[in-house]
Amino acid sequence: MRKPIVAGNWKMNGTQESIVPLLDRVIAGVDTSVNAQVIVCSPYIYIPLIAGKIADTAVEFGSQNISEFESGAYTGEISAQMLKDFDCEYVIIGHSERRHVFGETDQNIADKYKKAQEHGIIPILCVGELLEEREADKTAEVVIRQIDAILSTSGVESLQNAIIAYEPVWAIGTGKTATPEQAEEVHKLIRETIAKQNGTIASSLRILYGGSVKPSNAAELFAMEDIDGGLIGGASLESEDFLAICKATN
Ligand code: PGA
């Protein structure tokens, strides 16, 4: 049995004024009625605040990015060591906004993934195709290429300590969700691709779906065989919606 995960990606939203009550409501709402593992991924600058509030609660936290470098002259970057300094356990790596707005390549992403794991931080690796790639029937090719970059840099065993999120880029922040069948097709492909190298790791790997998940569509997505929860953007900024999505894994 794979324990479902619901991870919130707050992106570059909020200030202390909105984030503190949001976090308080999430912490209060994640009680025994929630079966999923719940993670919130905040902007770097709020990590110390979150680390303090979240200690000894059922909610976990992660970062939205990490440097691929160890330390040194990399102005503006945040290292794995710094994240670990605040007990950060997870990091989103390869989000489509990092790939497509900030130009991160498959290799940058593979290097970040490796660096996170070297410091005991669990990567939440995002993969997914652009609309034009889906329309050109290239979804499988793109997703496999993105996963292969990780496999060739860190090996299949690294997936024992990682989470994958399939996020079709055309569904992120657009209100357009993949149908449960469309999502399941890609999740199954990801699991089968990994199973070719290691069946045990493939069957225990949590693969989340992301892209306009809402309380109204979460349960049908999470009911699919290879969908083990969600990576939630917009709806993670509203505690009621986020908690309803957490409960939809039950
Ligand atoms: P969305 O974002 O839920 O707002 O579509 C998902 C994500 O970017 O992880």
Side-chain angles (χ1 to χ4, degrees), residues 58-213:
V59 181
E60 299 174 286
F61 74 95
S63 162
Q64 298 172 10
N65 191 15
I66 192 168
S67 173
E68 63 264 57
F69 302 110
E70 184 63 26
S71 66
Y74 301 105
T75 302
E77 291 290 284
I78 300 281
S79 71
Q81 219 174 11
M82 294 170 186
L83 292 172
K84 259 320 231 198
D85 216 6
F86 288 90
D87 301 319
C88 181
E89 280 183 274
Y90 300 90
V91 56
I92 298 174
I93 291 182
H95 189 276
S96 76
E97 287 143 23
R98 300 299 321 169
R99 293 179 188 267
H100 301 296
V101 181
F102 296 97
E104 289 184 10
T105 64
D106 287 339
Q107 194 54 51
N108 294 144
I109 290 159
D111 292 342
K112 288 180 178 211
Y113 175 102
K114 189 159 186 275
K115 186 55 72 186
Q117 286 197 331
E118 278 170 15
H119 288 267
I121 302 174
I122 298 174
I124 303 174
L125 171 75
C126 301
V127 298
E129 79 289 0
L130 297 162
L131 181 61
E132 57 265 35
E133 292 166 336
R134 172 160 285 260
E135 285 173 349
D137 240 349
K138 291 200 166 137
T139 300
E141 185 188 317
V142 169
V143 168
I144 290 174
R145 190 201 72 222
Q146 292 170 338
I147 289 177
D148 275 347
I150 299 298
L151 295 177
S152 57
T153 302
S154 292
V156 70
E157 288 74 22
S158 74
L159 289 170
Q160 235 159 358
N161 289 311
I163 298 160
I164 290 184
Y166 167 58
E167 299 205 304
V169 182
W170 48 272
I172 296 177
T174 57
K176 250 194 256 168
T177 319
T179 64
E181 294 71 25
Q182 281 174 321
E184 171 63 17
E185 194 185 352
V186 182
H187 282 236
K188 195 163 187 286
L189 167 80
I190 294 171
R191 207 179 295 287
E192 284 172 357
T193 303
I194 294 159
K196 283 186 196 145
Q197 295 199 19
N198 188 318
T200 314
I201 289 175
S203 60
S204 63
L205 175 71
R206 268 86 59 87
I207 308 177
L208 316 182
Y209 168 80
S212 299
V213 178

Side-chain angles (χ1 to χ4, degrees), residues 15-68:
T15 58
Q16 292 190 67
E17 203 184 340
S18 59
I19 276 173
V20 170
L22 169 63
L23 185 64
D24 284 342
R25 287 194 292 263
V26 170
I27 290 171
V30 178
D31 54 22
T32 47
S33 68
V34 176
N35 169 39
Q37 195 177 330
V38 177
I39 304 169
V40 293
C41 297
S42 85
Y44 285 138
I45 197 163
Y46 297 119
I47 282 178
L49 187 157
I50 287 171
K53 287 184 88 59
I54 255 175
D56 305 319
T57 74
V59 181
E60 299 174 286
F61 74 95
S63 162
Q64 298 172 10
N65 191 15
I66 192 168
S67 173
E68 63 264 57

